[in-house]
Amino acid sequence: MTSNWITTRAWLLMLPLLIVMIAIIGWPLVDTVRLSFTDAKLVGTEGNFVGIDNYVKILSGSNFQRTLITTTMFAVLSVAAEMVIGVLAALLLNQQFYGRSVLRALMILPWALPTVVNATLWRLIYNPEYGALNAALTQIGLLDTYRSWLGEPGTALTALIVADCWKNFPLVALIALAALQAVPRDITAASMVDGAGAWSRFRFVIMPYLAGPLMVALVLRTIEAFKVFDIIWVMTRGGPANSTRTLSILVYQEAFSFQRAGSGASLALIVTLLVTVLAVAYAALIRKSAGAS
Amino acid sequence: MLKSIQTALLSATLLGAALASPAHAETKINALFMAQAAYSEADVRAMTEAFTKANPDVTVNLEFVPYEGLHDKTVLAQGSGGGYDVVLFDVIWPAEYATNKVLLDVSDKITGDMKTGVLPGAWTTVEYQGKRYGMPWILDTKYLFYNKEILEKAGIKTPPKTWGELAEQAKVIKDKGLLATPIAWSWSQAEAAICDYTTLVSAYGGSFIKDGKPVFQTGGGLDALNYMVDSYKSGLTNPNSKEFLEEDVRRVFQNGEAAFALNWTYMYNMANDPKDSKVAGKVGVVPAPGIDGKSTVSAVNGSMGLGITSTSKHPDEAWKYITFMTSQQTQNQYAKLSLPIWASSYTDPAVSKGQEELIAAAKQSLAAMYPRPTTPKYQELSTALQQAVQESLLGQSKPEDALKTAAENSGL
């Protein structure tokens, strides 16, 4: 058995998978890159080569810049909230108490429901005429008149972030809970004997176990939040006055509603590039933190 | 010898007959419809069943998508080599579909009876640059619905004839404390808002495009948006209108929380149904009002048509199916859901029975139907206008500035 043969055999075994991957991911990506330099329409003509025109138009347009800011706000705020709530929920569910397993099962529910169902439920909750949120806030005296949560630019994005958190914090909580289960009990017991308070216990004893898995959760959630489409499309379609329009909605409109496949492809590639940069930066962070611990 | 020739001829004839298409060849056609309230999926299936009973040699596969998915699905199917023979299309798409060769030009297939029998206004649904790309099927426009009981309590004798009167009457209702916000519209960031806007543009005698350039930033186009903003700011309009679609308007109206509402034909029989409506029997309907000195009524063309795709391999069977679906007999049978495209149906007592008020309004409104702009860039223009409407309502920009920006972003 020469090592050379082993290498060859490994590649041979990989070959079927490689062919499939190239067919379903590689080729469409190459074709998208090609499209992005043309003015092709969705139907009809192939389009002409226009160089970097599409990219210049998109990057200099106010639409793209405004949408990038909206998307970043949505991603940063919703992911930050999901991380905090997720960790708190995990710490709670890590305690010994009666009914813990029922609560754990319940917590998975929002995450297990399809996004469209979630979005429709929240739209009902936010309904300005008979929504549960208006009714609840009025009854406890926080509101005196019903409000149009998804109809005001000031509250629409926040309302969407809350709905997105509700759906996605369980994922963070699950990952964190799995990590917490791995913390040896004798270490936490020892730190209590040494007189560490709750905060220092969390910071110096539990956090090292949590850091790696939380980083993974952070990367997953950030990439997903950056590409958000369905929850917003169902709840506001990017309104009111485009205040909740995200990059994916912009791509959809460009490519399908306006049928400009060429600039739609450029826009999609710009978004892909942004997400890739984020993912690579995170990966470096994770490696660093793993090296540090 | 002779016999053998005879035999040969006979067998050739038989062979030829066997090879020629037999009388009952099965043709399969695929049709794309939308899932909606009037002409629901069950209705379309029932109509299609009647068609296949009469034409046993054709089978029709039906597919249903929500309105929001209809355009994209049609276009994507076309991009990937077809799949549908018959598609339902909205009045705003023929320009784009004709330019991109999505639909067949059926001008030659339309018979003299169709030309004379169908209401003239209905044809604009399927026309682009003098050619016809299908048959009108759902004839629809927005009417002004009103709650008779609330108007009576306010001491108002007749529903408004002008948009100015509508505002005055709404103010009376508001001042008497009958309703805080008497008018409901569908002004969500969607096509629905542009239908309401177009109705007002038609009242003010405005236009969208002239010589290929946008002209809605001044004149009637600007007056229409100003009216919307004034109505919203004065509190006569339900402020939640800016996130309503048609079904939200219907719900508010059916709960008795609106004195006036602009909506499509379908709301009439639904709001009059005691099963889901608190205002059954109190629903009034009139044409959307006009503007003094400019118009007596106003209406948007919200109709839809059935066309044959250019990739269809069975255009003849597809046309046969469309002819059946749009025939006067089929349309009269389902007139409670959607009013017929045939002029003579409106004097048919069987059609008007139980909805005389709606028919009376329809006679005026259907004749005044105003088209949304016919341009291949319609989707882009509409998206830009939706933004202008929303920004103006929210006070983020002045109507004239918002419309100027919309004109710049309209792609025209």
Side-chain angles (χ1 to χ4, degrees), chain B residues 164-225:
Chain B
E165 272 177 34
L166 173 72
E168 286 159 23
Q169 294 189 2
K171 194 162 175 0
V172 171
I173 290 163
K174 187 182 172 83
D175 290 347
K176 290 198 170 172
L178 292 162
L179 278 177
T181 52
I183 317 170
W185 321 69
S186 41
W187 290 347
S188 173
Q189 186 165 326
E191 189 56 42
I194 304 307
C195 295
D196 286 8
Y197 172 71
T198 305
T199 307
L200 282 156
V201 172
S202 89
Y204 281 103
S207 43
F208 284 97
I209 299 174
K210 205 171 170 183
D211 307 326
K213 285 275 164 266
V215 291
F216 49 76
Q217 319 84 303
T218 54
L222 180 58
D223 294 339
L225 186 54

Side-chain angles (χ1 to χ4, degrees), chain B residues 88 99 119 145 182 187 202-203 217 263 269 272 300 347 380 404:
Chain B
L88 175 67
T99 311
L119 291 162
F145 291 85
W187 290 347
S202 89
Q217 319 84 303
N263 212 336
N269 284 306
N272 263 327
V300 55
T347 49
E380 229 168 310
K404 269 196 198 103

Side-chain angles (χ1 to χ4, degrees), chain B residues 141-348:
Chain B
T141 186
K142 284 207 169 191
Y143 299 93
L144 179 69
F145 291 85
Y146 62 99
N147 183 319
K148 289 177 176 171
E149 190 182 36
I150 296 175
L151 261 63
E152 208 171 299
K153 277 186 186 156
I156 298 164
K157 297 278 185 294
T158 50
K161 291 241 182 325
T162 65
W163 287 103
E165 272 177 34
L166 173 72
E168 286 159 23
Q169 294 189 2
K171 194 162 175 0
V172 171
I173 290 163
K174 187 182 172 83
D175 290 347
K176 290 198 170 172
L178 292 162
L179 278 177
T181 52
I183 317 170
W185 321 69
S186 41
W187 290 347
S188 173
Q189 186 165 326
E191 189 56 42
I194 304 307
C195 295
D196 286 8
Y197 172 71
T198 305
T199 307
L200 282 156
V201 172
S202 89
Y204 281 103
S207 43
F208 284 97
I209 299 174
K210 205 171 170 183
D211 307 326
K213 285 275 164 266
V215 291
F216 49 76
Q217 319 84 303
T218 54
L222 180 58
D223 294 339
L225 186 54
N226 275 325
Y227 183 91
M228 290 163 86
V229 172
D230 289 345
S231 183
Y232 177 81
K233 284 197 173 141
S234 61
L236 298 175
T237 277
N238 183 327
N240 300 329
S241 293
K242 67 184 181 307
E243 62 172 285
F244 282 169
L245 287 171
E246 292 91 340
E247 280 294 80
D248 301 308
V249 173
R250 180 168 72 94
R251 222 166 276 135
V252 170
F253 186 78
Q254 286 186 177
N255 280 338
E257 288 155 6
F260 300 105
L262 208 64
N263 212 336
W264 306 106
T265 316
Y266 84 105
M267 184 156 104
Y268 186 73
N269 284 306
M270 284 190 160
N272 263 327
D273 182 354
K275 271 211 302 284
D276 340 295
S277 172
K278 289 181 187 165
V279 299
K282 304 168 194 163
V283 182
V285 62
V286 285
I291 291 289
D292 272 335
K294 288 189 176 146
S295 55
T296 49
V297 297
S298 56
V300 55
N301 187 350
S303 308
M304 298 183 87
L306 291 171
I308 309 169
T309 61
S310 55
T311 47
S312 171
K313 292 186 179 62
H314 308 288
D316 294 345
E317 286 83 357
W319 182 247
K320 206 186 233 178
Y321 177 59
I322 292 175
T323 307
F324 179 89
M325 294 296 272
T326 57
S327 68
Q328 188 158 14
Q329 191 195 349
T330 308
Q331 292 245 301
N332 285 2
Q333 205 179 334
Y334 293 89
K336 278 279 182 294
L337 303 170
S338 200
L339 294 172
I341 57 171
W342 301 88
S344 61
S345 295
Y346 290 79
T347 49
D348 181 345

Side-chain angles (χ1 to χ4, degrees), chain A residues 12-286:
Chain A
L12 278 175
L13 286 169
M14 293 261 289
L15 199 63
L17 178 68
L18 279 175
I19 290 170
V20 171
M21 291 291 274
I22 287 167
I24 62 170
I25 297 174
W27 165 241
L29 190 65
V30 170
D31 198 45
T32 304
V33 174
R34 183 191 64 79
L35 260 182
S36 76
F37 295 111
T38 67
D39 61 359
K41 304 285 281 181
L42 198 61
V43 277
T45 56
E46 267 293 287
N48 310 306
F49 182 79
V50 293
I52 56 166
D53 269 14
N54 291 335
Y55 290 95
V56 172
K57 268 202 197 105
I58 290 165
L59 292 172
S60 60
S62 60
N63 257 349
F64 173 76
Q65 291 158 13
R66 191 182 152 191
T67 308
L68 181 62
I69 293 168
T70 308
T71 313
T72 310
M73 273 177 65
F74 176 88
V76 169
L77 292 171
S78 67
V79 172
E82 278 155 26
M83 298 303 287
V84 173
I85 298 169
V87 170
L88 288 175
L91 287 170
L92 178 72
L93 290 172
N94 199 35
Q95 306 298 319
Q96 297 285 351
F97 61 90
Y98 181 73
R100 180 172 72 155
S101 50
V102 176
L103 207 55
R104 273 188 198 178
L106 275 179
M107 195 191 66
I108 315 279
L109 203 58
W111 185 64
L113 279 177
T115 310
V116 174
V117 175
N118 247 314
T120 311
L121 283 175
W122 279 97
R123 231 177 85 190
L124 286 174
I125 292 169
Y126 289 134
N127 188 294
E129 296 281 334
Y130 48 83
L133 182 66
N134 275 322
L137 292 179
T138 322
Q139 279 161 15
I140 57 176
L142 284 175
L143 270 187
D144 35 14
T145 51
Y146 275 26
R147 289 193 49 181
S148 162
W149 302 100
L150 296 174
E152 299 285 346
T155 53
L157 194 64
T158 316
L160 287 172
I161 288 169
V162 170
D164 191 61
C165 271
W166 162 256
K167 175 164 169 53
N168 289 309
F169 90 85
L171 176 72
V172 181
L174 276 183
I175 293 174
L177 188 59
L180 286 175
Q181 304 277 308
V183 180
R185 293 240 169 254
D186 49 359
I187 299 188
T188 42
S191 67
M192 281 164 92
V193 171
D194 291 340
W199 170 248
S200 9
R201 216 166 53 240
F202 174 75
R203 174 71 192 79
F204 298 104
V205 181
I206 296 177
M207 206 53 202
Y209 285 92
L210 271 180
L214 276 188
M215 267 294 175
V216 175
L218 186 69
V219 175
L220 281 176
R221 283 300 315 136
T222 310
I223 292 173
E224 272 183 16
F226 233 88
K227 297 190 306 184
V228 68
F229 177 82
D230 40 11
I231 199 164
I232 296 185
W233 192 248
V234 171
M235 286 174 72
T236 63
R237 289 179 308 282
N242 289 336
S243 60
T244 60
R245 190 168 59 174
T246 56
L247 288 167
S248 293
I249 290 180
L250 208 58
V251 174
Y252 175 86
Q253 286 182 332
E254 194 66 29
F256 297 113
S257 303
F258 308 158
Q259 302 190 37
R260 287 195 290 252
S263 57
S266 325
L267 193 54
L269 283 172
I270 292 172
V271 177
T272 310
L273 200 69
L274 282 171
V275 173
T276 312
V277 166
L278 271 177
V280 170
Y282 271 145
L285 267 177
I286 291 175

Side-chain angles (χ1 to χ4, degrees), chain B residues 104-111 115 130-134 319:
Chain B
L104 278 189
D105 171 7
V106 295
S107 308
D108 308 342
K109 295 181 189 275
I110 292 166
T111 62
K115 279 183 186 139
K131 294 196 171 77
R132 287 171 179 176
Y133 292 90
W319 182 247

